[in-house]
Amino acid sequence: MSLSLIARSITESPTLKLNETADKLRQKGEPVIHLGGGEPKSRAPIDALVAGAGLLSSGEIRYTPPDGISALKKAVVQYTEEHYGRLMSPDNVMASSGAKQAIMVAMQAVLNPQDEVVYPAPYWVSYPEMAKLCGAIGIPVVAEDGGFQPTLADMEDRIGAATKMVILNSPNNPSGYSYSREFVAGVVELCEKRGLYLIMDDIYHRLLFDGRRPISVYELAKDQSDGSKLIVVNGVSKMYAMTGFRIGWAVANKKLIEAMTNIQGHQTSGPSALLQYAAAAALTGIQSGVESLRLTLENNRNVLLERLQAFDGVRVTVPHGTFYSFPDFHAYEKDSVKLANFLLDKVRVVVVPGKDFGMEGHVRISYCGTIKDITTGLERIRWALDPNAPNELYIGQRKLVRDWL
Ligand SMILES: Cc1ncc(COP(=O)(O)O)c(C=O)c1O
């Protein structure tokens, strides 16, 4: 088969691959615990369901403008005013099939082959692959202290003549770390000084803990004109638990939105009409679900932390938000792929290898599932790795024998 160079350069999504393996094991009746997931388990808001069902039952489901229906664009304008303190025009908004597509189309609108896209490590698995889809090159910036936030000098060092774009995702997938206001302000200033596009991937921005408030990047920008190279991306997937609806958006300068809409128009003609109506209703309807999800996740994080801190060798940085943690398992195993496979094989727990996020020795453990999944999953992991853990472990009726410690 003669596949394109691009097709051959793209790696399979590690999370989707793990889901597949876990599903196969489950189908065989194996009691798999999935701590690798990337979606909240709460129900989608009732307003979204009613709006979607209403349009569906009308039978009048047609093409929409490629940048999105007016109701959704207006809802995004309202959202941006309320949560970022910035009044934009609907012409600054493009709706897309998930935040993922908004980021992809933004990259296609500005990147040329060999351009560089700079982002801190650990990073979301899709950034390097999306850059490759544009013929561009992803450049991760690793913090020298092994932490989750590089210094501004580290960022500046990796920005060169070929750099066209920077991406920040805060709070961050996979670390749950929320960059400091000083760091975000410094990156905004750096991008303005160097004339770089800056994508703020804010998909988790309201899922913050311990009283933290989301940062509005507009408050930090000096350039308040419509020529600004800031691109703010968000969507309903995470905070409204609407991952399968596939609705996200980008807010950017009008010219860029026009170019992005042009590209999206030829790719998909825009997102599904039904789901745009549902997303607009989620944004304008009852909002209590977001806060109750945030509270549940904060409680789940606390339970997870308590369990992780019981491990002798595990170093864990407290996640500030999201539903991920990214503990360091170096003391047990340096190769994160080996570790993830070992945990699935021995105790049937799914975690995601840190290697896929640009940081070896760590694994991503999600806490978007039930408390029982978290406690049982962590009990199994500890039993598999920690010689100080109690000797006995049952999975269902099966008593396991630990013959590798
Ligand atoms: C950092 C980050 N950005 C963007 C997305 C994409 O979200 P959506 O479901 O809206 O495409 C995800 C989803 O996992 C994510 O983790």
Side-chain angles (χ1 to χ4, degrees):
M1 207 172 20
S2 61
L3 294 176
S4 70
L5 286 176
I6 280 185
R8 278 184 276 154
S9 75
I10 300 299
T11 54
E12 189 179 2
S13 159
T15 17
L16 296 184
K17 191 159 187 251
L18 272 165
N19 285 345
E20 216 182 284
T21 317
D23 276 352
K24 278 191 193 143
L25 284 169
R26 274 205 185 113
Q27 276 163 21
K28 283 197 218 151
E30 292 288 340
V32 174
I33 295 184
H34 206 314
L35 299 181
E39 56 187 352
K41 296 290 180 287
S42 44
R43 277 173 66 86
I46 187 75
D47 298 297
L49 303 180
V50 170
L55 184 63
L56 185 60
S57 59
S58 79
E60 297 283 333
I61 304 148
R62 311 288 178 209
Y63 285 129
T64 72
D67 53 339
I69 58 169
S70 157
L72 178 54
K73 288 169 54 113
K74 280 190 190 148
V76 171
V77 168
Q78 197 184 319
Y79 184 90
T80 308
E81 188 175 10
E82 187 177 339
H83 295 285
Y84 291 86
R86 177 72 188 258
L87 183 60
M88 306 299 275
S89 137
D91 295 342
N92 294 112
V93 178
M94 184 191 84
S96 58
S97 300
K100 191 175 242 175
Q101 196 186 22
I103 299 170
M104 184 68 233
V105 175
M107 285 196 189
Q108 287 177 311
V110 303
L111 297 177
N112 289 313
Q114 301 306 313
D115 281 345
E116 291 181 354
V117 184
V118 170
Y119 38 78
Y123 48 79
W124 184 39
V125 291
S126 289
Y127 298 148
E129 306 309 304
M130 287 172 166
K132 277 190 219 161
L133 285 170
C134 300
I137 302 160
I139 306 283
V141 183
V142 179
E144 285 200 0
D145 63 2
F148 298 149
Q149 179 180 290
T151 62
L152 277 172
D154 293 334
M155 293 292 288
E156 202 159 5
D157 274 356
R158 303 310 304 264
I159 290 173
T163 310
K164 191 84 173 275
M165 175 182 271
V166 173
I167 308 179
L168 290 185
N169 166 227
S170 180
N172 172 270
N173 175 7
S175 66
Y177 194 88
S178 170
Y179 303 130
S180 69
R181 198 177 171 81
E182 293 68 35
F183 178 73
V184 179
V187 172
V188 171
E189 195 184 337
L190 191 57
C191 290
E192 286 185 340
K193 209 167 71 190
R194 302 283 194 97
L196 305 174
Y197 286 93
L198 171 60
I199 294 188
M200 287 301 300
D201 180 349
D202 275 355
I203 193 81
Y204 301 101
H205 83 142
R206 283 164 73 198
L207 301 180
L208 279 170
F209 311 142
D210 309 316
R212 285 187 176 77
R213 307 287 314 145
I215 295 173
S216 166
V217 73
Y218 296 113
E219 285 172 9
L220 304 173
K222 276 211 184 73
D223 183 359
Q224 299 286 335
S225 76
D226 196 49
S228 153
K229 288 185 167 176
L230 251 183
I231 307 166
V232 175
V233 172
N234 214 324
V236 293
S237 282
K238 313 290 179 174
M239 57 191 164
Y240 292 96
M242 289 171 69
T243 44
F245 285 68
R246 310 303 310 123
I247 298 292
W249 58 83
V251 179
N253 80 56
K254 285 180 196 155
K255 280 236 157 59
L256 181 58
I257 290 294
E258 259 172 46
M260 288 170 61
T261 302
N262 210 359
I263 293 171
Q264 179 164 275
H266 288 292
Q267 287 177 336
T268 60
S269 301
S272 151
L274 208 59
L275 304 174
Q276 289 187 63
Y277 278 96
L283 287 175
T284 51
I286 299 165
Q287 298 299 301
S288 53
V290 182
E291 178 57 9
S292 88
L293 172 63
R294 196 197 64 71
L295 280 169
T296 304
L297 295 174
E298 183 164 348
N299 183 50
N300 288 4
R301 187 234 16 202
N302 293 343
V303 171
L304 177 87
L305 273 180
E306 200 186 291
R307 296 298 194 282
L308 276 174
Q309 281 157 354
F311 273 82
D312 280 342
V314 177
R315 275 184 36 218
V316 54
T317 306
V318 177
H320 301 153
T322 70
F323 34 76
Y324 309 111
S325 66
F326 202 50
D328 180 349
F329 279 83
H330 262 103
Y332 295 111
E333 173 59 66
K334 289 188 181 64
D335 183 331
S336 59
V337 176
K338 226 162 127 184
L339 179 62
N341 287 333
F342 173 80
L343 293 175
L344 188 57
D345 181 39
K346 296 293 185 199
V347 288
R348 299 291 188 242
V349 177
V350 180
V351 297
V352 189
K355 182 169 182 269
D356 298 316
F357 304 99
M359 238 185 207
E360 259 304 3
H362 293 248
V363 295
R364 190 187 76 179
I365 301 181
S366 302
Y367 43 93
C368 50
T370 61
I371 291 283
K372 185 152 191 307
D373 278 350
I374 296 167
T375 51
T376 317
L378 264 289
E379 187 193 7
R380 290 190 196 177
I381 297 177
R382 182 161 176 229
W383 180 83
L385 298 175
D386 185 353
N388 297 325
N391 235 336
E392 293 208 330
L393 184 79
Y394 283 87
I395 294 190
Q397 301 300 326
R398 210 163 68 209
K399 183 178 175 191
L400 298 195
V401 179
R402 197 167 46 168
D403 52 11
W404 54 87
L405 285 182

mmCIF file of all heavy atoms in Angstrom, residues 139-168:
data_model
loop_
_atom_site.group_PDB
_atom_site.id
_atom_site.type_symbol
_atom_site.label_atom_id
_atom_site.label_comp_id
_atom_site.label_asym_id
_atom_site.label_seq_id
_atom_site.Cartn_x
_atom_site.Cartn_y
_atom_site.Cartn_z
ATOM 1 N N ILE A 139 7.789 21.365 18.853
ATOM 2 C CA ILE A 139 8.999 21.503 19.685
ATOM 3 C C ILE A 139 8.577 21.561 21.156
ATOM 4 O O ILE A 139 8.089 22.591 21.634
ATOM 5 C CB ILE A 139 9.762 22.814 19.348
ATOM 6 C CG1 ILE A 139 10.066 22.908 17.844
ATOM 7 C CG2 ILE A 139 11.023 22.961 20.195
ATOM 8 C CD1 ILE A 139 11.206 22.065 17.355
ATOM 9 N N PRO A 140 8.746 20.450 21.900
ATOM 10 C CA PRO A 140 8.393 20.480 23.320
ATOM 11 C C PRO A 140 9.462 21.191 24.138
ATOM 12 O O PRO A 140 10.641 21.094 23.825
ATOM 13 C CB PRO A 140 8.321 18.997 23.700
ATOM 14 C CG PRO A 140 9.071 18.262 22.651
ATOM 15 C CD PRO A 140 9.202 19.136 21.443
ATOM 16 N N VAL A 141 9.030 21.902 25.174
ATOM 17 C CA VAL A 141 9.983 22.570 26.072
ATOM 18 C C VAL A 141 9.919 21.872 27.432
ATOM 19 O O VAL A 141 8.895 21.901 28.106
ATOM 20 C CB VAL A 141 9.643 24.068 26.238
ATOM 21 C CG1 VAL A 141 10.684 24.753 27.112
ATOM 22 C CG2 VAL A 141 9.557 24.737 24.877
ATOM 23 N N VAL A 142 11.031 21.236 27.785
ATOM 24 C CA VAL A 142 11.073 20.460 29.018
ATOM 25 C C VAL A 142 11.652 21.327 30.143
ATOM 26 O O VAL A 142 12.676 21.986 29.951
ATOM 27 C CB VAL A 142 11.954 19.201 28.819
ATOM 28 C CG1 VAL A 142 12.048 18.379 30.094
ATOM 29 C CG2 VAL A 142 11.402 18.355 27.672
ATOM 30 N N ALA A 143 10.983 21.326 31.298
ATOM 31 C CA ALA A 143 11.499 22.096 32.443
ATOM 32 C C ALA A 143 12.756 21.419 32.965
ATOM 33 O O ALA A 143 12.776 20.203 33.139
ATOM 34 C CB ALA A 143 10.444 22.156 33.539
ATOM 35 N N GLU A 144 13.792 22.213 33.231
ATOM 36 C CA GLU A 144 15.062 21.604 33.653
ATOM 37 C C GLU A 144 14.966 20.947 35.012
ATOM 38 O O GLU A 144 15.684 19.998 35.303
ATOM 39 C CB GLU A 144 16.160 22.663 33.662
ATOM 40 C CG GLU A 144 16.590 22.979 32.245
ATOM 41 C CD GLU A 144 17.932 23.624 32.174
ATOM 42 O OE1 GLU A 144 18.551 23.833 33.240
ATOM 43 O OE2 GLU A 144 18.369 23.925 31.043
ATOM 44 N N ASP A 145 14.045 21.448 35.859
ATOM 45 C CA ASP A 145 13.921 20.870 37.200
ATOM 46 C C ASP A 145 13.033 19.621 37.213
ATOM 47 O O ASP A 145 12.714 19.093 38.263
ATOM 48 C CB ASP A 145 13.374 21.917 38.179
ATOM 49 C CG ASP A 145 11.962 22.377 37.799
ATOM 50 O OD1 ASP A 145 11.399 21.867 36.801
ATOM 51 O OD2 ASP A 145 11.400 23.229 38.523
ATOM 52 N N GLY A 146 12.624 19.158 36.034
ATOM 53 C CA GLY A 146 11.787 17.951 35.965
ATOM 54 C C GLY A 146 10.338 18.230 36.319
ATOM 55 O O GLY A 146 9.527 17.306 36.397
ATOM 56 N N GLY A 147 9.991 19.498 36.534
ATOM 57 C CA GLY A 147 8.614 19.860 36.911
ATOM 58 C C GLY A 147 7.726 20.047 35.691
ATOM 59 O O GLY A 147 8.104 19.707 34.561
ATOM 60 N N PHE A 148 6.556 20.614 35.932
ATOM 61 C CA PHE A 148 5.552 20.711 34.875
ATOM 62 C C PHE A 148 5.449 22.101 34.247
ATOM 63 O O PHE A 148 4.615 22.334 33.386
ATOM 64 C CB PHE A 148 4.178 20.295 35.412
ATOM 65 C CG PHE A 148 4.140 18.864 35.884
ATOM 66 C CD1 PHE A 148 3.312 18.481 36.923
ATOM 67 C CD2 PHE A 148 4.913 17.894 35.269
ATOM 68 C CE1 PHE A 148 3.261 17.165 37.343
ATOM 69 C CE2 PHE A 148 4.869 16.563 35.676
ATOM 70 C CZ PHE A 148 4.042 16.199 36.730
ATOM 71 N N GLN A 149 6.254 23.048 34.749
ATOM 72 C CA GLN A 149 6.229 24.390 34.160
ATOM 73 C C GLN A 149 7.648 24.832 33.839
ATOM 74 O O GLN A 149 8.434 25.079 34.754
ATOM 75 C CB GLN A 149 5.568 25.379 35.127
ATOM 76 C CG GLN A 149 5.539 26.800 34.578
ATOM 77 C CD GLN A 149 4.871 27.775 35.555
ATOM 78 O OE1 GLN A 149 3.678 27.724 35.762
ATOM 79 N NE2 GLN A 149 5.668 28.649 36.145
ATOM 80 N N PRO A 150 8.001 24.923 32.542
ATOM 81 C CA PRO A 150 9.346 25.407 32.229
ATOM 82 C C PRO A 150 9.475 26.870 32.629
ATOM 83 O O PRO A 150 8.475 27.527 32.926
ATOM 84 C CB PRO A 150 9.437 25.253 30.705
ATOM 85 C CG PRO A 150 8.080 24.953 30.221
ATOM 86 C CD PRO A 150 7.175 24.687 31.375
ATOM 87 N N THR A 151 10.688 27.397 32.620
ATOM 88 C CA THR A 151 10.855 28.823 32.883
ATOM 89 C C THR A 151 10.636 29.576 31.575
ATOM 90 O O THR A 151 10.665 28.983 30.488
ATOM 91 C CB THR A 151 12.278 29.128 33.387
ATOM 92 O OG1 THR A 151 13.178 28.747 32.341
ATOM 93 C CG2 THR A 151 12.613 28.383 34.657
ATOM 94 N N LEU A 152 10.458 30.875 31.685
ATOM 95 C CA LEU A 152 10.306 31.691 30.475
ATOM 96 C C LEU A 152 11.575 31.635 29.627
ATOM 97 O O LEU A 152 11.519 31.623 28.402
ATOM 98 C CB LEU A 152 10.016 33.135 30.857
ATOM 99 C CG LEU A 152 8.549 33.423 31.174
ATOM 100 C CD1 LEU A 152 8.406 34.828 31.714
ATOM 101 C CD2 LEU A 152 7.683 33.213 29.937
ATOM 102 N N ALA A 153 12.722 31.549 30.342
ATOM 103 C CA ALA A 153 14.003 31.463 29.609
ATOM 104 C C ALA A 153 14.046 30.161 28.812
ATOM 105 O O ALA A 153 14.516 30.144 27.665
ATOM 106 C CB ALA A 153 15.163 31.536 30.595
ATOM 107 N N ASP A 154 13.538 29.043 29.404
ATOM 108 C CA ASP A 154 13.478 27.766 28.669
ATOM 109 C C ASP A 154 12.634 27.932 27.406
ATOM 110 O O ASP A 154 12.990 27.445 26.330
ATOM 111 C CB ASP A 154 12.813 26.654 29.515
ATOM 112 C CG ASP A 154 13.635 26.238 30.724
ATOM 113 O OD1 ASP A 154 14.866 26.394 30.668
ATOM 114 O OD2 ASP A 154 13.037 25.759 31.715
ATOM 115 N N MET A 155 11.497 28.630 27.549
ATOM 116 C CA MET A 155 10.603 28.822 26.393
ATOM 117 C C MET A 155 11.320 29.654 25.325
ATOM 118 O O MET A 155 11.304 29.324 24.148
ATOM 119 C CB MET A 155 9.305 29.545 26.808
ATOM 120 C CG MET A 155 8.381 28.772 27.731
ATOM 121 S SD MET A 155 7.612 27.326 26.967
ATOM 122 C CE MET A 155 6.412 28.042 25.852
ATOM 123 N N GLU A 156 11.933 30.728 25.784
ATOM 124 C CA GLU A 156 12.603 31.656 24.849
ATOM 125 C C GLU A 156 13.727 30.950 24.088
ATOM 126 O O GLU A 156 13.908 31.168 22.888
ATOM 127 C CB GLU A 156 13.136 32.869 25.616
ATOM 128 C CG GLU A 156 13.333 34.050 24.720
ATOM 129 C CD GLU A 156 13.367 35.383 25.466
ATOM 130 O OE1 GLU A 156 13.330 35.380 26.710
ATOM 131 O OE2 GLU A 156 13.437 36.420 24.776
ATOM 132 N N ASP A 157 14.431 30.069 24.813
ATOM 133 C CA ASP A 157 15.541 29.323 24.189
ATOM 134 C C ASP A 157 15.090 28.477 23.014
ATOM 135 O O ASP A 157 15.853 28.237 22.091
ATOM 136 C CB ASP A 157 16.135 28.344 25.214
ATOM 137 C CG ASP A 157 17.178 29.022 26.058
ATOM 138 O OD1 ASP A 157 17.466 30.198 25.785
ATOM 139 O OD2 ASP A 157 17.679 28.379 27.002
ATOM 140 N N ARG A 158 13.850 27.950 23.097
ATOM 141 C CA ARG A 158 13.382 27.052 22.039
ATOM 142 C C ARG A 158 12.688 27.800 20.904
ATOM 143 O O ARG A 158 12.253 27.205 19.937
ATOM 144 C CB ARG A 158 12.426 25.990 22.607
ATOM 145 C CG ARG A 158 12.992 25.137 23.716
ATOM 146 C CD ARG A 158 14.353 24.538 23.367
ATOM 147 N NE ARG A 158 14.354 23.744 22.139
ATOM 148 C CZ ARG A 158 14.226 22.432 22.083
ATOM 149 N NH1 ARG A 158 14.106 21.735 23.176
ATOM 150 N NH2 ARG A 158 14.220 21.795 20.923
ATOM 151 N N ILE A 159 12.510 29.122 21.089
ATOM 152 C CA ILE A 159 11.865 29.910 20.036
ATOM 153 C C ILE A 159 12.939 30.453 19.098
ATOM 154 O O ILE A 159 13.873 31.125 19.536
ATOM 155 C CB ILE A 159 11.026 31.053 20.661
ATOM 156 C CG1 ILE A 159 9.804 30.446 21.359
ATOM 157 C CG2 ILE A 159 10.592 32.077 19.608
ATOM 158 C CD1 ILE A 159 8.976 31.410 22.154
ATOM 159 N N GLY A 160 12.787 30.095 17.812
ATOM 160 C CA GLY A 160 13.803 30.541 16.856
ATOM 161 C C GLY A 160 13.162 31.161 15.630
ATOM 162 O O GLY A 160 11.950 31.450 15.628
ATOM 163 N N ALA A 161 13.972 31.290 14.570
ATOM 164 C CA ALA A 161 13.488 31.947 13.352
ATOM 165 C C ALA A 161 12.331 31.168 12.723
ATOM 166 O O ALA A 161 11.468 31.751 12.061
ATOM 167 C CB ALA A 161 14.638 32.066 12.360
ATOM 168 N N ALA A 162 12.304 29.826 12.925
ATOM 169 C CA ALA A 162 11.265 29.007 12.277
ATOM 170 C C ALA A 162 9.977 28.939 13.114
ATOM 171 O O ALA A 162 8.967 28.399 12.664
ATOM 172 C CB ALA A 162 11.794 27.604 12.039
ATOM 173 N N THR A 163 10.025 29.482 14.333
ATOM 174 C CA THR A 163 8.834 29.369 15.197
ATOM 175 C C THR A 163 7.716 30.277 14.702
ATOM 176 O O THR A 163 7.939 31.465 14.437
ATOM 177 C CB THR A 163 9.186 29.760 16.660
ATOM 178 O OG1 THR A 163 10.348 29.042 17.046
ATOM 179 C CG2 THR A 163 8.041 29.438 17.603
ATOM 180 N N LYS A 164 6.514 29.711 14.616
ATOM 181 C CA LYS A 164 5.381 30.497 14.149
ATOM 182 C C LYS A 164 4.274 30.530 15.208
ATOM 183 O O LYS A 164 3.417 31.412 15.208
ATOM 184 C CB LYS A 164 4.844 29.813 12.875
ATOM 185 C CG LYS A 164 3.825 30.550 12.049
ATOM 186 C CD LYS A 164 4.474 31.519 11.077
ATOM 187 C CE LYS A 164 3.516 32.166 10.110
ATOM 188 N NZ LYS A 164 3.246 31.362 8.923
ATOM 189 N N MET A 165 4.312 29.542 16.107
ATOM 190 C CA MET A 165 3.169 29.412 17.017
ATOM 191 C C MET A 165 3.614 28.814 18.346
ATOM 192 O O MET A 165 4.548 28.020 18.391
ATOM 193 C CB MET A 165 2.155 28.479 16.346
ATOM 194 C CG MET A 165 0.958 28.114 17.165
ATOM 195 S SD MET A 165 -0.118 26.959 16.260
ATOM 196 C CE MET A 165 -1.170 28.086 15.384
ATOM 197 N N VAL A 166 2.918 29.231 19.408
ATOM 198 C CA VAL A 166 3.127 28.646 20.735
ATOM 199 C C VAL A 166 1.767 28.128 21.197
ATOM 200 O O VAL A 166 0.737 28.724 20.868
ATOM 201 C CB VAL A 166 3.674 29.716 21.720
ATOM 202 C CG1 VAL A 166 3.740 29.192 23.142
ATOM 203 C CG2 VAL A 166 5.053 30.207 21.263
ATOM 204 N N ILE A 167 1.762 27.015 21.929
ATOM 205 C CA ILE A 167 0.489 26.521 22.488
ATOM 206 C C ILE A 167 0.643 26.367 23.993
ATOM 207 O O ILE A 167 1.629 25.797 24.472
ATOM 208 C CB ILE A 167 0.074 25.138 21.915
ATOM 209 C CG1 ILE A 167 0.097 25.148 20.390
ATOM 210 C CG2 ILE A 167 -1.313 24.742 22.422
ATOM 211 C CD1 ILE A 167 -0.277 23.804 19.765
ATOM 212 N N LEU A 168 -0.327 26.875 24.741
ATOM 213 C CA LEU A 168 -0.390 26.634 26.185
ATOM 214 C C LEU A 168 -1.705 25.945 26.503
ATOM 215 O O LEU A 168 -2.758 26.344 25.979
ATOM 216 C CB LEU A 168 -0.332 27.945 26.974
ATOM 217 C CG LEU A 168 0.973 28.727 27.000
ATOM 218 C CD1 LEU A 168 0.841 29.928 27.945
ATOM 219 C CD2 LEU A 168 2.162 27.864 27.419
#
